[in-house]
Amino acid sequence: MSFSTGGLLLNESLEIARLHIEGEPWGETLLRARQEGTTSLPKAISNRRATREISNRLMMLSAEERAFLLETTDRSDQQALLWLAACRAYRFVREFSLEVVRERYLSYQLDLPRESFDLLFEAKAEWDNDLAAIKESTRSKLRQVMFKMMREAGLLSNANRIQAAILSTRLKAMIADQNPSELLLFPGSSINGA
């Protein structure tokens, strides 16, 4: 549950992805990113946390996906890839996307109350001691960041309404080739393309 930093951090993610050399350990990329001051956060500790989080997410993407992230000029595809990376990196984000966002979208309950985060969190915390140990202030921050990431990915409006994801044909194909079930992380997308 370390996704409490920023949102999708698109610009910083692009910079760190550019710094990464395929085959290089991510630790080296992370060190170079810190040395070059990739993030614009005011505190050194915030910069370290942000670069670590970005690296953790980017390493969840395949080399092909990272190349697409850098070469595409479609900002919505870039944001969708970063949402995909966050869903891969953080089990709770993925489960929230599938169990809450997708289910509400399919049942035409397009409003996404903040309490929906708390309900899933509490249900998962009953079975996970690590979740149960998270303080209320941290949970509140995680909720805030989760909703921010969904807004930045274009999945949630400013009024907290679930929106259909708009993915390019190329990105849909790339996700389907890697793991078709991951298309379900995007409201309005399906495995069979319907």
Side-chain angles (χ1 to χ4, degrees):
M1 296 293 282
S2 60
F3 62 88
S4 63
T5 301
L8 291 178
L9 301 166
L10 175 61
N11 294 330
E12 295 87 349
S13 295
L14 292 172
E15 287 305 313
I16 291 175
R18 281 186 191 97
L19 288 174
H20 183 67
I21 300 165
E22 279 311 313
E24 170 185 69
W26 276 94
E28 290 180 30
T29 303
L30 185 59
L31 184 61
R32 210 169 36 260
R34 287 180 183 155
Q35 289 170 343
E36 293 187 19
T38 304
T39 66
S40 58
L41 300 170
K43 295 180 182 176
I45 200 155
S46 297
N47 278 312
R48 281 195 304 274
R49 187 177 16 218
T51 54
R52 183 183 67 241
E53 286 309 309
I54 292 166
S55 294
N56 287 341
R57 295 174 193 178
L58 289 174
M59 73 173 70
M60 296 291 121
L61 298 175
S62 69
E64 179 188 15
E65 290 166 335
R66 283 192 303 273
F68 182 71
L69 177 70
L70 291 173
E71 75 184 35
T72 187
T73 56
D74 186 337
R75 192 168 179 87
S76 64
D77 272 357
Q78 291 172 326
Q79 292 163 319
L81 269 172
L82 293 178
W83 173 250
L84 178 62
C87 288
R88 287 177 181 168
Y90 312 113
R91 188 180 84 206
F92 187 83
V93 174
R94 180 178 59 253
E95 290 172 351
F96 185 80
S97 183
L98 294 171
E99 296 175 29
V100 177
V101 176
R102 178 170 172 71
E103 290 306 313
R104 290 185 73 83
Y105 184 83
L106 291 175
S107 64
Y108 300 103
Q109 297 175 356
L110 300 182
D111 61 306
L112 188 64
R114 293 187 176 270
E115 296 78 29
S116 61
F117 178 96
D118 297 325
L119 291 172
L120 184 68
F121 191 95
E122 289 164 9
K124 299 290 181 182
E126 288 182 22
W127 301 97
D128 186 325
N129 292 335
D130 291 335
L131 279 181
I134 292 177
K135 295 178 190 173
E136 178 58 38
S137 60
T138 302
R139 179 163 68 169
S140 177
K141 179 67 175 174
L142 292 169
R143 181 186 332 104
Q144 176 186 356
V145 171
M146 171 88 80
F147 276 67
K148 181 178 182 180
M149 287 192 302
M150 289 186 296
R151 275 190 208 93
E152 291 174 356
L155 307 178
L156 193 64
S157 73
N158 288 335
N160 290 343
R161 303 241 339 137
I162 301 167
Q163 305 175 141
I166 301 171
L167 306 175
S168 70
T169 303
R170 183 171 172 206
L171 180 57
K172 280 183 193 175
M174 192 179 308
I175 295 170
D177 286 347
Q178 179 120 350
N179 182 352
S181 67
E182 288 183 329
L183 286 169
L184 302 178
L185 297 166
F186 300 94
S189 296
S190 64
I191 295 174
N192 61 9

